[in-house]
């Protein structure tokens, strides 16, 4: 069970005193309870939302040697060479993983997955055997700016103000 569910369960067991808060993500309150059954929490019953604190954009990033510079070219490259390319995620059921899996049915992508340990592993993974992955902006943008990876696309609803090149909006 992911640590975020463990922490949420601990919070749920505390008295509702109005002073203790749980700051959680969509993974904690949406994805994990659906994947890990029985879930130790029921987000609709156990918690009352107060406010959205922020949001995070994701970028589809690639090894600079990958033969694509946008999402369409990525799909075409993978279709031409099924099984040749790998993608990474920080774990099963993470948004990073689910974003990539969402591309698979419509494109018949046959990339095999590799799990990386945390975001720091993204740098090293993309330098070695991994060609593409989704990363949140906090990891992607510095690596794009440093030239370690290229941006193929973004989950941003509108163009980002970050100077990261010409990423396609997914």
């Amino acid at each position: 069970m992911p640590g975020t569910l463990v922490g949420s369960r601990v919070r749920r067991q505390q008295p509702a005193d109005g002073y203790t808060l749980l700051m959680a993500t969509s993974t904690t309150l949406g994805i994990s309870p659906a994947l890990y059954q029985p879930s130790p929490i029921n987000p609709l019953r156990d918690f009352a939302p107060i406010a959205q604190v922020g949001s995070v954009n994701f970028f589809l990033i690639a090894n600079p040697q990958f033969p694509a510079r946008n999402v369409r070219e990525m799909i075409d490259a993978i279709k031409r060479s099924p099984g040749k390319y790998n993608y990474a995620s920080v774990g099963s059921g993470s948004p990073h993983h689910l974003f990539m899996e969402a591309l698979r049915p419509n494109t018949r992508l046959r990339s095999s997955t590799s799990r990386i340990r945390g975001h720091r592993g993204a740098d090293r993974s993309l330098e070695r055997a991994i060609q593409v992955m989704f990363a949140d902006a906090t990891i992607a943008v510095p690596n794009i700016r440093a030239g370690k990876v290229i941006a193929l696309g973004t989950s941003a609803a509108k163009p980002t103000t970050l100077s990261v090149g010409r990423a396609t909006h997914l």
Side-chain angles (χ1 to χ4, degrees):
M1 174 183 340
T4 59
L5 281 180
V6 173
S8 299
R9 179 181 63 198
V10 169
R11 173 58 197 107
R12 182 202 56 172
Q13 294 169 339
Q14 303 303 309
D17 60 8
Y19 294 101
T20 307
L21 302 174
L22 171 68
M23 187 169 191
T25 66
S26 59
T27 302
T28 305
L29 298 176
I31 297 170
S32 292
L35 290 178
Y36 299 97
Q37 294 293 321
S39 177
I41 63 168
N42 178 328
L44 297 175
R45 180 193 68 221
D46 297 338
F47 305 107
I50 298 171
Q52 178 177 333
V53 175
S55 64
V56 177
N57 291 323
F58 286 81
F59 287 84
L60 179 57
I61 57 176
N63 180 307
Q65 285 73 47
F66 187 65
R69 293 297 176 259
N70 59 49
V71 175
R72 173 55 46 209
E73 290 176 7
M74 178 197 78
I75 292 167
D76 292 343
I78 294 173
K79 280 184 175 180
R80 279 192 307 274
S81 303
K84 179 179 178 181
Y85 299 113
N86 293 305
Y87 75 86
S89 75
V90 296
S92 296
S94 67
H96 313 75
H97 174 231
L98 296 177
F99 284 152
M100 187 58 79
E101 286 296 315
L103 290 173
R104 288 173 58 115
N106 295 329
T107 59
R108 291 179 267 133
L109 297 179
R110 293 184 185 152
S111 298
S112 60
T113 63
S114 296
R115 186 174 188 272
I116 59 172
R117 286 234 173 264
H119 295 296
R120 290 184 184 222
D123 297 355
R124 291 182 294 278
S125 294
L126 283 166
E127 290 171 4
R128 295 190 307 243
I130 306 302
Q131 286 78 38
V132 296
M133 69 178 288
F134 273 97
D136 55 72
T138 59
I139 297 302
V141 172
N143 285 297
I144 294 165
R145 288 181 176 156
K148 293 180 180 179
V149 299
I150 57 170
L152 301 177
T154 179
S155 66
K158 58 185 177 181
T160 177
T161 58
L162 299 171
S163 175
V164 294
R166 300 175 141 306
T168 305
H169 293 75
L170 302 173

